[in-house]
Amino acid sequence: MAPRTPIPIVSVDPSKRPLEQKQPLHNRWHPEIPPVGEVKEGDLFRVETIDWTAGQIKDSDTAEDMKAVDLTQVHYLSGPIRCCDERGVPAKPGDILTVEILNLGPLAGDEWGFCGVFDRDNGGGFLTDHFPDASKAIWDFDGIYCTSRHIPGVRFAGITHPGLIGTAPSAELLKIWNDRERGLHDADPDSVTLASCLHTRPMAQPPNPSGACLGKIGQGPDWDRIAFEAARTIPGRENGGNCDIKNLTRGSKVHFPVFVEGANLSMGDMHFSQGDGEVSFCGAIEMSGWLELKISIIRGGMEEYLTPMGPTKLHVNPIFEISPLQPMYSEWLVFEGISVDERGRQHYLDASVAYKRAVLNCIDYLSKFGYSKQQVYMLLSCCPCEGRISGIVDIPNACATLAIPVAIFDQDIRPNKTGLPVGPRLVSKGQAPTARYTGSLETFQNPATKAPGT
């Protein structure tokens, strides 16, 4: 039997703009964005994607592109793809669409990626008050491994995956998204506890026609209406979307709820590697890439398998089967965090504050081995570290942990009796390209150190 060759459904050229692609791309969710292709159960098909910024970030040694990036454009997605059963009958609302990721990787001739930190006034990130400067690191790929000239001394195998993959929302679900997120966006930030200690304003991104790319929908009244209605791709939602789950790699299966006829599957934001939490926001190793996929349809699967957690039957979430393939790291150094913020304030069972503390503890620890804190911040976003909510019941402190595989470093980073490397034994890892923050928003100064700042 001849080998099965994947059917090309979406092909891209990273040198071209999104609307110049053979199948136009899109960067918003809306039920009326037309499909660019169709697949059936049993088809082995291939989808190519550009990087999430459409080439705004360059393989260079400056971070000015990170500082000036236009985030109204992201994320650029390949699709939508109409999904049908073997007889050609499309998936229906209420079905489950099972997507099997059989293989994936970087586009040939484009085997590099980037991670970075956005400027405090333009995107920020999980630790934006601690790291207000824009910075980036370029990574080169050698098969399954990657290295960076901007964060030397580490090498690891990537868990390559799509950061964003999901089905289209129905008009009813789109309205639910927009109403609840606009309410959060318009709320007093002081009314939400996390806003005071995570510094991630705006708290949501309501529809914004600026930078919108709507696939096959041409300019005109329909474009204007849809651009004002379409949801941004920033968060994960009931349809899957931008969940940034590193385990959605080759060999995994995702069971998506179907909200519109044909399901309208889209994907993009390909990551060579990512750490749990993707803490620097542009934290995974972002790249152009390809996926080889198969789909199947479970008729009526939403009602049978997915229990709504909300006021309507649309309040469900995908489930997935983890891949049998993972990097085989066996030794880890684990950092704890509790729900007491870095100003000493107690929070009640707050897992986000606890994880922030775990990440900060890890950054300060690894900076003792020749790295700048900015380098470690980016590294923790893209290396295959493991985040956990370890305790969520022991009042008042939640406990979160961050585990780092020690084998990715070219030195032993574990505590030992000989002490930290000093003098000739302490090898500086240099600095990553950085564009200094010039805004006026608050930045954190550590009261417990003699030389505060990052």
Side-chain angles (χ1 to χ4, degrees), residues 173-429:
L173 183 57
L174 179 64
K175 184 178 186 305
I176 289 171
W177 292 354
N178 288 340
D179 287 349
R180 73 189 184 198
E181 291 173 22
R182 187 173 288 108
L184 183 62
H185 177 272
D186 295 343
D188 177 0
D190 294 332
S191 70
V192 181
T193 305
L194 288 180
S196 66
C197 57
L198 293 186
H199 302 271
T200 53
R201 290 288 292 176
M203 298 174 68
Q205 293 278 6
N208 179 3
S210 177
C213 182
L214 303 178
K216 287 185 172 182
I217 297 175
Q219 292 292 329
D222 282 345
W223 192 98
D224 294 338
R225 174 182 59 80
I226 291 171
F228 275 95
E229 295 174 351
R232 297 296 306 277
T233 59
I234 303 300
R237 300 184 180 94
E238 284 83 353
N239 68 327
N242 191 36
C243 292
D244 290 313
I245 300 171
K246 73 176 189 292
N247 305 98
L248 299 185
T249 187
R250 58 176 56 85
S252 64
K253 286 183 179 180
V254 194
H255 305 282
F256 291 106
V258 174
F259 302 106
V260 300
E261 182 173 287
N264 284 2
L265 177 70
S266 297
M267 65 205 71
D269 189 26
M270 288 291 289
H271 296 167
F272 184 84
S273 178
Q274 180 202 301
D276 284 339
E278 199 187 7
V279 289
S280 77
F281 184 8
C282 187
I285 300 178
E286 310 285 351
M287 68 176 194
S288 62
W290 55 270
L291 306 97
E292 293 176 357
L293 309 161
K294 288 174 65 176
I295 61 106
S296 61
I297 298 168
I298 302 174
R299 297 296 184 186
M302 282 177 61
E303 184 171 356
E304 187 168 5
Y305 290 106
L306 305 180
T307 301
M309 289 294 170
T312 77
K313 290 186 176 182
L314 303 178
H315 287 80
V316 294
N317 296 97
I319 56 178
F320 73 94
E321 302 174 41
I322 202 165
S323 166
L325 304 177
Q326 300 285 344
M328 301 300 291
Y329 294 111
S330 59
E331 295 181 302
W332 303 77
L333 192 60
V334 183
F335 297 84
E336 294 186 20
I338 58 174
S339 50
V340 176
D341 70 29
E342 57 272 32
R343 299 187 186 280
R345 292 175 296 184
Q346 179 73 62
H347 296 260
Y348 180 75
L349 294 181
D350 195 319
S352 294
V353 172
Y355 197 63
K356 184 181 184 185
R357 282 289 308 277
V359 174
L360 288 169
N361 290 341
C362 184
I363 288 172
D364 275 70
Y365 179 89
L366 291 178
S367 69
K368 302 176 188 297
F369 292 85
Y371 295 95
S372 73
K373 293 182 181 180
Q374 201 90 4
Q375 287 174 313
V376 181
Y377 183 29
M378 290 189 288
L379 178 63
L380 296 184
S381 273
C382 66
C383 76
C385 56
E386 298 282 342
R388 296 286 187 274
I389 297 175
S390 299
I392 203 69
V393 296
D394 298 319
I395 57 171
N397 280 334
C399 179
T401 56
L402 179 66
I404 310 300
V406 299
I408 71 174
F409 297 92
D410 65 355
Q411 58 184 313
D412 189 350
I413 61 164
R414 293 169 291 193
N416 61 71
K417 290 185 177 182
T418 61
L420 287 165
V422 294
R425 292 194 295 119
L426 179 61
V427 178
S428 171
K429 303 300 182 181

Side-chain angles (χ1 to χ4, degrees), residues 131-149:
F131 296 92
D133 301 336
S135 59
K136 79 176 181 187
I138 300 298
W139 296 84
D140 296 312
F141 308 150
D142 293 313
I144 66 170
Y145 294 99
C146 65
T147 56
S148 173
R149 64 184 183 269

Side-chain angles (χ1 to χ4, degrees), residues 3-192:
R4 292 186 69 189
T5 301
I7 302 167
I9 300 298
V10 179
S11 301
V12 300
D13 181 345
S15 67
K16 293 183 177 180
R17 297 170 61 85
L19 287 175
E20 295 172 344
Q21 303 292 337
K22 184 177 180 181
Q23 294 93 354
L25 309 181
H26 66 104
N27 62 9
R28 299 292 194 270
W29 291 116
H30 196 281
E32 295 180 45
I33 296 176
V36 299
E38 180 177 300
V39 296
K40 295 181 180 179
E41 287 183 308
D43 288 345
L44 174 63
F45 62 97
R46 178 183 171 100
V47 176
E48 296 180 350
T49 72
I50 61 175
D51 87 80
W52 75 304
T53 72
Q56 293 186 66
I57 309 303
K58 308 301 183 184
D59 183 357
S60 67
D61 297 322
T62 174
E64 293 300 323
D65 48 2
M66 290 296 298
K67 185 179 179 70
V69 66
D70 180 3
L71 295 178
T72 67
Q73 298 184 37
V74 297
H75 306 77
Y76 283 103
L77 307 181
S78 294
I81 300 168
R82 180 178 171 89
C83 300
C84 303
D85 63 20
E86 292 178 338
R87 298 173 297 157
V89 179
K92 304 289 185 183
D95 293 343
I96 281 178
L97 178 72
T98 298
V99 179
E100 186 172 8
I101 301 174
L102 298 173
N103 206 356
L104 72 178
L107 284 183
D110 210 33
E111 292 93 349
W112 69 279
F114 63 89
C115 67
V117 179
F118 293 130
D119 185 88
R120 178 84 162 91
D121 289 343
N122 185 27
F126 189 50
L127 305 180
T128 191
D129 53 324
H130 290 253
F131 296 92
D133 301 336
S135 59
K136 79 176 181 187
I138 300 298
W139 296 84
D140 296 312
F141 308 150
D142 293 313
I144 66 170
Y145 294 99
C146 65
T147 56
S148 173
R149 64 184 183 269
H150 298 137
I151 309 178
V154 293
R155 179 176 185 258
F156 52 84
I159 310 176
T160 303
H161 61 282
L164 197 160
I165 182 170
T167 53
S170 63
E172 180 183 358
L173 183 57
L174 179 64
K175 184 178 186 305
I176 289 171
W177 292 354
N178 288 340
D179 287 349
R180 73 189 184 198
E181 291 173 22
R182 187 173 288 108
L184 183 62
H185 177 272
D186 295 343
D188 177 0
D190 294 332
S191 70
V192 181

